[in-house]
Amino acid sequence: MAIPPRPRMGQGVLRRKPIEQIEDAESGGGGQRSQLTRSLGLWQLTAIGVGGIIGAGIFTLAGTVANGTAGPAVLVSFLIAGVASAAAALSYAEFAGLIPKAGSAYTYGYAVLGELAGWFIGWDLLLEYTAIVAVVAIGISGYFSFLLGEMGVDLPRWMLGAPGTGGGHKVDLFAAALCLLIAYLLTLGIRNAARFETVVVVLKVLVVLLVIGVGFFHINTGNYTPFFPFGVSGAFTGAATVFFAVFGYDAMSTAAEESKDAQRHMPKAILYSLAISMVLYVLACLVLTGMQNYKDIDPESGFSTAFKAAGLSGLADVIAVGAIIGILTVMFTFMLGVTRVWFSMSRDGLLPKWFAKTHPTRHVPTRVTWIVGAASAAIAGFLPIGEAAELTNIGILLAFVVVCVAVIVLRYRQPELPRTFRTPGMPVVPALGVVFSIWLITFLQWQTWVRFAVWFVIGLGVYFGYSYKRSELARSSDT
């Protein structure tokens, strides 16, 4: 029998996984030990999404952006980011119902735009999600330090921050330990981990509602003037900064293979989680910038210091505890996301199959979970929050561009495919997602582009040196 010729380079990098033939996790790629367990319901998925969206955005970034970038217009920053995120969320919702598989944007890009595009997004998300876990862990440390100060506890300075963040700081030990704690929770199995996440998300939302309810009575409307102290451009720059705080649904969608009824539940969970979160963000920003002049807002523990300044020290301590507990859910969601993207890439042969092996009884990818836990702990422990945050936004925005473009392409290429959710306003809404995302990218610093370019070049080396010949699609073309 004649052996078919190997695909030419151009054909190879554009080869796509046929949507109709994408194998279920139960029967695919890595064999029996590459199975994931379907155990998540609609509200557990929604809780994971809310857990990924609400956290550092309210408890840390709102104060940071209000103090140094946007002033009271931080509210506008969140609205701009929310509009861009909503356009992408509708595209994610259509894909989540159509391709309910682990991997999210990576899987969507692979199926519609080809292997190289899928690799590009997957490789990108490995760095972005890991960095987000680290950034959030660092953010928790700010509230942890505030809480310890209120309790009169004086820990050694060497363990309270990364080098260069203060006199005597050598490592942010608390942030690093949190990363390892979340990795441990994820290795216990998705059912147990999701239960923990749901309980903590409920507690977090209650704390946010407490902040809004009590803070409303301490608003001084004079603090809203001037509303744009840094100009309108400050609000746009702030939008680029807070953007990573409004897309936790992206990481949540990587858990599609662990949903009981992904085709129906995933689209709803994506839209529910974003809607709930944006309402809380808007109300929280109004309270924060109304309680204190933007110049006085603490960029690390804004709400706690605002309530303390209002004479509510007891409530400030409660908020600090709630922030620490609540932000843990963001770490949970994004570490879940990066491990599932890594798992999917390995199962597809783009990375060694060794990483796709799951625990024999818990059915979770424990190997990659511990690797990600260690990597995020190293970033959180030794990089200042500013440098770590710069690793995040550009990649997520580019992933949004790919998903929005892919949903348009697939709608016209295969309109007959059964879709449990259809993005409204096609192709205008996804196109707006593309425009908003590219526009926000232009506000990022040039150093961010340099770091991203270096990671991208490394990824190209890995792809053409390993993945191109070893992917499942390459192997099937050789048979």
Side-chain angles (χ1 to χ4, degrees), residues 24 26 38-42 45 92-102 108 252-270 419-421:
D24 283 337
E26 288 83 0
R38 293 188 180 276
S39 59
L40 302 178
L42 172 60
L45 289 170
Y92 271 91
E94 178 165 327
F95 271 127
L98 182 62
I99 312 175
K101 307 299 176 188
Y108 310 153
M252 177 265 288
S253 67
T254 64
E257 286 184 23
E258 291 155 288
S259 171
K260 294 177 182 177
D261 189 356
Q263 288 184 312
R264 290 196 309 112
H265 289 166
M266 287 300 300
K268 292 179 181 179
I270 289 172
R419 293 168 168 85
T420 57
F421 177 87

Side-chain angles (χ1 to χ4, degrees), residues 316-373:
D317 294 342
V318 172
I319 294 171
V321 173
I324 292 172
I325 296 174
I327 297 177
L328 283 175
T329 64
V330 182
M331 297 177 64
F332 176 97
T333 299
F334 283 100
M335 191 175 290
L336 172 70
V338 67
T339 57
R340 272 42 177 185
V341 171
W342 195 335
F343 166 83
S344 296
M345 294 178 72
S346 300
R347 191 174 59 187
D348 291 337
L350 297 180
L351 291 172
K353 293 280 190 176
W354 183 86
F355 296 118
K357 300 300 181 183
T358 57
H359 192 277
T361 57
R362 298 171 186 167
H363 302 294
V364 291
T366 52
R367 294 175 178 178
V368 297
T369 301
W370 281 118
I371 294 172
V372 170

